[in-house]
Amino acid sequence: MLSFHQLQAITGGAVVQQGQDSPVVHLLTDSRKLSQPAGTLFFAIRGRHNDGHVYLEQLYMLGVRQFVVEELAGVEQLYPEAGILQVRSSLEALQAVAAWHRAQFRIPVLGITGSNGKTTVKEWLAQLLSPEELVVKSPRSYNSQIGVPLSVWQLDANHTFGLFEAGISQPGEMQKLQQIIQPTLGLFTNIGSAHDEGFTDHRQKVAEKMQLFGKVGLLFYCLDHELIHEAVQTQGIPAFTWSRYQQADVEIRHSTVSGHKTIVSYTFRGEQHSLAIPFTDEASVENALHCLAVLLQRGTDLTAIQDRLDRLQPVAMRLEMKEAINGCYLIDDTYNNDLAGLSIALNLLASQPKRGRRTLILSDLLESGMPEEKLYSEVAALTKAHQLERLIGIGPTIQAHGARFSGDTAFYASTTAFLEQFSSEQFRNELVLVKGARVFGFEKIVQAFQQKVHGTVLEVNLDALVHNLNYYRSKQASGTKLMVMVKAFAYGSGSFEVANLLQFHRVDYLAVAYVDEGVSLREHGITLPIMVMNPSPDSLAKLHQYSLEPEIYSLELLRDFLATAQPDIRYKIHLKLDTGMHRLGFTEEDFDELFSLLEQHPQVRVVSTFSHLAGADEALHDDFSRMQLHNFTALAAEVEARLGYTLLKHILNSAGIVRFPEHQLDMVRLGIGLYGVESTGSEQEALQPVSTLKTTISQIKHIRQGETVGYSRKGIADTDKTIATIAIGYADGYDRRFSNGAGQVIIAGQRAPVIGNVCMDMCMVDVTGIPAAVGDEVTVFGPQLTLVELAQRIGTISYELLTNVSSRVKRIFFSE
């Protein structure tokens, strides 16, 4: 086991303060994910918009006593009991520690890279190899410069086989990951367009990824990827190959789809065999063939291969948070239940604001490779560290170790036994994490918790939202603050859930339209400063009660506000200036009375002054935008001069951040860009769609030429047609202007136009020639059919479509 005194030799750093020489048990890079302070080593990593050194005091107060830092700034005096190691780069130190740890083990380790399929292949191989091996693997998609070290740190003496994936986004990264993983075997899945922006071309990207395999004894890959094959041949790496078209170790002769399976005929060592793969999509078949190659090379019995493949399931790539019964929220992490995955899910649970108790429903953890006593002792420690109020254990093994868990606990031998005693009244206004091994069928528990709603859902991709947040943060100047708009139900995406994520990622301010929106956020545990953009006179009393900060835009509103202000209470307000949009805001003519009123009420402090650009998204308005920027700079300077103190000044919206970066001032305001719409249109490809609206097919009909469809008989069949009625209408926010072919939806990967008028709760689409059945999924908008395109189809803007999605449409929030 690693001790603190060994770190100096491993990292090349300098021990500034020894502290108690304790074993290093846990590596921590994110202060929000602290679970067990004893034995934790924190790496203060410096990022563009976040600096781990800021959280040293917080972690010390929580009991952490081992730190790796880049700068001292008096830490010896501030943290007298701590062990402190100073290094040039905390990230490089983390990687060096993980590389040292990896070198202590002499087991086979398979390193996996490629543009797509890395995580799926890793997860499937872990299942397929588990009968013979005790496998350690990357949790989820931990394949980055930080994720790989944390993955490799899991290695211990019980494991007999390692599976680690490695992902890169620019040159120079893979060499570092190779030194950490030190793979003895390799698997290159494929090469595609993912992260193309970081490389000159695919050949360079292949060359960079190939650095993972420089010292492997054998590399698995498909010969049909020419650039990969060329690189392997050039480097002379020993290989085991498969191909559909060329001579290879495994030659795929033929494949046909039969029901929900793909039947593959292949030749191996001169003999022909067949295999049924339980998937039909091309990506899953390729991933399964990579796994087949590994199993064949290892000499796995052919009957066993088929038996194991039959039990494969799609990889649960995401954590889903769903509204559930009695005001509960459900975090659905079924089918993923190793110890590392449990820790990740508990971190997500802990990151949610406190609203009622936190409950974990957990099955037996299977195939961990750890002795039961140690495994469930660690599980108990994790649940205690994350301050769970209730644990429900399902399975004979966790039941047998129930005494290790403290607090409110209940144990059941099976899922059936739990459901037989399930009552919705047992769960109210709480967060419930459901985490179980596949064989326990926890999807039945999820169904018991879910609200009874119709099949139309808005899926909100929290990872895409974070990607977009980081994109705009990359454009922020150092020291510039960030305000994020969560008004209008967070542009339809869900105010509380989005606000909570933004709080977790430490934005500086939130903005809502109305006081009630701010009150709701406070009641859901949001503590960030919140600006209310349109406070009504009858809601001003709630502002102080809920620590909300009003935008004041007129003398009338200011007088109303000051009439409610108590002399012994401090208030914060924001002054809106009209620089040319002529919607809301003070003009210079208002200044004398404005500052006279404020002078009479010294308990009222102006936090910021701001304005709004009317045409920042279009170049044709650039002269007007520059005039607004000039006017605001002058007016804001006068405001500060007359108040006698400095303020936050902000004028840039999402479009302005992109087009006028030199005018960021003290803060910028991020709105529609966060939700995946780049309003200038110039950098849309840099953003990821956040929301996907889905519904289902309710019925399918066959109509003859000349027959009509829907109200007012507007849909006329020009030929015999097959039509599908789908469960969405204008009451759900699907605009009536999409009637009669203006709108399209995606079914089975193909576009189906709307036929007839959109109804209140449903509409009809033409599925002629599309393989469709009742219950099939329908995508109304998403990555394949974007909000931008749909808005153009009916002459509106993306904002309208997104904010119009009705509150009766259930939101599902997910994270990879």
Side-chain angles (χ1 to χ4, degrees):
M1 184 172 288
L2 178 65
S3 294
F4 185 82
H5 78 272
Q6 297 174 269
L7 293 175
Q8 182 168 351
I10 293 170
T11 64
V15 174
V16 177
Q17 185 169 289
Q18 178 62 50
Q20 185 176 353
D21 192 25
S22 303
V24 175
V25 182
H26 311 289
L27 305 185
L28 182 68
T29 62
D30 188 333
S31 62
R32 297 163 296 191
K33 297 179 180 179
L34 175 67
S35 60
Q36 301 176 63
T40 289
L41 173 63
F42 177 67
F43 294 82
I45 295 174
R46 202 188 300 274
R48 178 176 172 84
H49 291 285
N50 206 0
D51 185 350
H53 296 81
V54 174
Y55 308 104
L56 296 177
E57 181 178 0
Q58 171 192 337
L59 291 168
Y60 186 78
M61 296 299 292
L62 291 171
V64 177
R65 291 295 181 267
Q66 300 177 103
F67 299 93
V68 175
V69 302
E70 295 176 10
E71 64 179 42
L72 296 177
V75 292
E76 312 100 302
Q77 290 75 38
L78 293 173
Y79 318 121
E81 298 177 11
I84 301 169
L85 178 78
Q86 186 178 22
V87 297
R88 185 182 66 84
S89 164
S90 295
L91 175 58
E92 291 177 2
L94 169 70
Q95 294 171 340
V97 168
W100 174 88
H101 183 70
R102 163 69 183 93
Q104 310 310 304
F105 301 92
R106 297 291 181 266
I107 65 171
V109 169
L110 178 69
I112 303 172
T113 194
S115 294
N116 299 292
K118 298 185 291 294
T119 302
T120 297
V121 170
K122 176 203 67 190
E123 294 291 336
W124 283 356
L125 279 175
Q127 296 178 48
L128 295 166
L129 295 174
S130 59
E132 294 91 24
E133 307 286 0
L134 293 176
V135 177
V136 58
K137 60 182 175 68
S138 310
R140 295 194 173 271
S141 55
Y142 271 39
N143 58 30
S144 67
Q145 298 294 303
I146 292 178
V148 168
L150 298 179
S151 298
V152 169
W153 183 252
Q154 299 175 99
L155 266 169
D156 68 29
N158 295 299
H159 297 122
T160 64
F161 200 94
L163 288 167
F164 300 111
E165 58 176 294
I168 59 173
S169 57
Q170 59 187 15
E173 293 182 333
M174 188 60 85
Q175 184 178 6
K176 298 175 183 177
L177 300 185
Q178 189 280 331
Q179 293 168 357
I180 301 166
I181 297 172
Q182 301 167 36
T184 60
L185 301 166
L187 195 155
F188 202 140
T189 59
N190 50 48
I191 194 68
S193 59
H195 299 296
D196 270 0
E197 63 276 10
F199 303 93
T200 55
D201 55 27
H202 282 191
R203 179 168 271 102
Q204 184 196 27
K205 186 158 64 171
V206 167
E208 289 290 331
K209 289 180 178 289
M210 284 295 297
Q211 292 187 40
L212 180 62
F213 308 123
K215 297 181 181 180
V216 300
L218 194 66
L219 174 62
F220 298 91
Y221 71 100
C222 175
L223 275 176
D224 304 332
H225 294 289
E226 294 180 6
L227 289 177
I228 297 175
H229 180 56
E230 176 186 308
V232 174
Q233 293 295 103
T234 300
Q235 296 184 34
I237 298 174
F240 187 94
T241 61
W242 65 271
S243 174
R244 297 179 185 275
Y245 312 111
Q246 306 173 60
Q247 282 191 337
D249 294 291
V250 181
E251 297 176 11
I252 310 302
R253 298 297 187 185
H254 185 63
S255 64
T256 57
V257 174
S258 176
H260 296 292
K261 295 185 176 182
T262 300
I263 310 302
V264 174
S265 297
Y266 68 93
T267 300
F268 175 58
R269 293 178 177 169
E271 296 183 3
Q272 188 155 329
H273 308 279
S274 65
L275 186 75
I277 297 173
F279 305 98
T280 58
D281 63 288
E282 185 177 337
S284 294
V285 171
E286 180 180 73
N287 293 335
L289 291 175
H290 285 311
C291 295
L292 172 65
V294 173
L295 295 175
L296 289 174
Q297 191 278 331
R298 286 171 54 87
T300 307
D301 178 76
L302 298 181
T303 302
I305 291 176
Q306 182 63 73
D307 181 58
R308 295 177 195 180
L309 281 174
D310 287 341
R311 295 197 296 270
L312 278 186
Q313 297 289 335
V315 174
M317 298 290 286
R318 65 193 205 181
L319 284 160
E320 291 187 345
M321 186 164 69
K322 307 169 180 177
E323 294 179 69
I325 54 174
N326 301 332
C328 295
Y329 270 86
L330 188 74
I331 298 177
D332 182 0
D333 194 25
T334 48
Y335 311 138
N336 187 328
N337 94 321
D338 54 25
L339 191 60
L342 174 61
S343 180
I344 292 170
L346 286 172
N347 284 334
L348 176 62
L349 184 68
S351 74
Q352 306 304 311
K354 195 78 169 65
R355 47 189 312 273
R357 62 181 172 179
R358 294 187 173 107
T359 295
L360 169 64
I361 302 177
L362 179 69
S363 80
D364 288 349
L365 274 72
L366 306 179
E367 300 164 354
S368 70
M370 298 171 62
E372 288 180 7
E373 294 78 8
K374 181 180 179 183
L375 173 63
Y376 288 98
S377 292
E378 290 204 20
V379 173
L382 273 175
T383 58
K384 183 178 181 180
H386 285 86
Q387 300 179 337
L388 293 178
E389 281 84 7
R390 173 162 59 164
L391 169 74
I392 296 172
I394 297 179
T397 308
I398 194 171
Q399 187 176 41
H401 290 272
R404 300 180 186 276
F405 298 88
S406 58
D408 185 357
T409 60
F411 297 92
Y412 301 86
S414 66
T415 302
T416 300
F418 168 73
L419 290 172
E420 285 174 351
Q421 299 185 40
F422 177 83
S423 168
S424 62
E425 292 306 310
Q426 298 171 321
F427 302 88
R428 186 169 296 277
N429 298 321
E430 57 191 283
L431 284 162
V432 182
L433 170 60
V434 179
K435 190 164 184 60
R438 190 176 299 277
V439 295
F440 284 88
F442 269 22
E443 69 273 8
K444 297 172 186 175
I445 296 177
V446 173
Q447 290 167 5
F449 271 96
Q450 285 204 256
Q451 292 180 316
K452 304 297 183 184
V453 294
H454 64 75
T456 302
V457 299
L458 184 72
E459 293 185 347
V460 180
N461 185 339
L462 298 179
D463 292 327
L465 192 143
V466 171
H467 169 88
N468 298 339
L469 175 66
N470 289 336
Y471 165 75
Y472 283 99
R473 273 183 160 168
S474 72
K475 294 182 173 294
Q476 271 182 265
S478 177
T480 300
K481 294 183 181 294
L482 180 64
M483 175 183 282
V484 180
M485 319 305 286
V486 290
K487 60 180 181 175
F489 201 43
Y491 289 67
S493 299
S495 301
F496 151 61
E497 296 83 2
V498 171
N500 180 59
L501 185 73
L502 295 170
Q503 180 166 276
F504 185 77
H505 285 275
R506 301 185 174 112
V507 304
D508 300 290
Y509 255 93
L510 300 178
V512 297
Y514 298 104
V515 170
D516 286 347
E517 292 178 315
V519 169
S520 178
L521 292 181
R522 288 286 185 249
E523 290 178 340
H524 280 87
I526 301 302
T527 59
L528 286 173
I530 298 175
M531 182 176 78
V532 180
M533 303 183 72
N534 195 19
S536 59
D538 60 354
S539 66
L540 294 176
K542 289 185 177 180
L543 290 168
H544 178 68
Q545 181 184 353
Y546 289 93
S547 299
L548 304 174
E549 302 171 15
E551 166 191 320
I552 303 296
Y553 51 79
S554 70
L555 293 170
E556 293 81 6
L557 181 60
L558 179 60
R559 293 189 196 99
D560 288 337
F561 176 76
L562 294 176
T564 68
Q566 302 298 313
D568 55 343
I569 295 176
R570 301 281 291 178
Y571 297 92
K572 296 178 179 179
I573 66 172
H574 301 257
L575 294 182
K576 176 74 171 285
L577 305 179
D578 184 358
T579 57
M581 187 168 179
H582 301 321
R583 184 172 63 178
L584 296 173
F586 292 99
T587 63
E588 196 167 11
E589 289 73 23
D590 301 316
F591 277 15
D592 287 342
E593 187 171 355
L594 165 65
F595 295 112
S596 174
L597 287 168
L598 289 174
E599 187 177 353
Q600 297 168 37
H601 294 82
Q603 77 274 33
V604 177
R605 177 94 176 176
V606 180
V607 179
S608 83
T609 186
F610 69 103
S611 190
H612 196 79
L613 296 175
D617 53 342
E618 295 183 88
L620 66 93
H621 300 304
D622 278 0
D623 288 342
F624 188 83
S625 294
R626 291 190 180 95
M627 179 271 291
Q628 283 193 272
L629 291 164
H630 178 268
N631 288 349
F632 176 70
T633 301
L635 290 173
E638 184 176 351
V639 169
E640 284 189 323
R642 296 185 69 159
L643 287 172
Y645 53 83
T646 59
L647 312 172
L648 293 173
K649 297 171 287 296
H650 48 108
I651 188 170
L652 297 188
N653 54 9
S654 297
I657 296 170
V658 173
R659 300 197 65 248
F660 300 101
E662 68 277 14
H663 293 283
Q664 292 190 17
L665 305 177
D666 302 303
M667 186 157 66
V668 294
R669 301 190 303 272
L670 178 57
I672 191 66
L674 180 71
Y675 306 96
V677 178
E678 204 286 282
S679 52
T680 74
S682 62
E683 300 188 24
Q684 181 62 50
E685 291 184 0
L687 301 183
Q688 294 180 2
V690 168
S691 300
T692 301
L693 182 60
K694 293 181 177 180
T695 188
T696 57
I697 295 177
S698 302
Q699 189 175 28
I700 290 180
K701 292 180 179 291
H702 302 282
I703 62 173
R704 297 184 180 277
Q705 181 179 0
E707 293 184 323
T708 61
V709 179
Y711 283 123
S712 303
R713 303 185 66 196
K714 292 293 186 181
I716 302 173
D718 53 1
T719 62
D720 291 352
K721 289 185 179 295
T722 302
I723 63 169
T725 301
I726 61 175
I728 191 171
Y730 55 78
D732 302 297
Y734 192 58
D735 200 294
R736 200 167 182 271
R737 288 172 289 179
F738 286 125
S739 301
N740 300 307
Q744 296 179 340
V745 297
I746 303 289
I747 298 174
Q750 300 183 48
R751 294 195 173 208
V754 174
I755 183 169
N757 282 333
V758 174
C759 310
M760 180 180 289
D761 307 301
M762 62 195 74
C763 60
M764 288 65 72
V765 295
D766 184 353
V767 294
T768 306
I770 298 175
V774 171
D776 280 0
E777 182 178 272
V778 179
T779 299
V780 180
F781 62 70
Q784 292 177 280
L785 187 57
T786 67
L787 284 165
V788 174
E789 178 189 338
L790 288 176
Q792 290 172 345
R793 283 178 168 271
I794 59 172
T796 187
I797 57 175
S798 303
Y799 298 58
E800 181 180 1
L801 300 184
L802 196 53
T803 57
N804 276 357
V805 178
S806 168
S807 59
R808 81 176 187 178
V809 174
K810 184 176 71 170
R811 270 69 174 171
I812 293 178
F813 304 88
F814 68 90
S815 177
E816 302 297 339

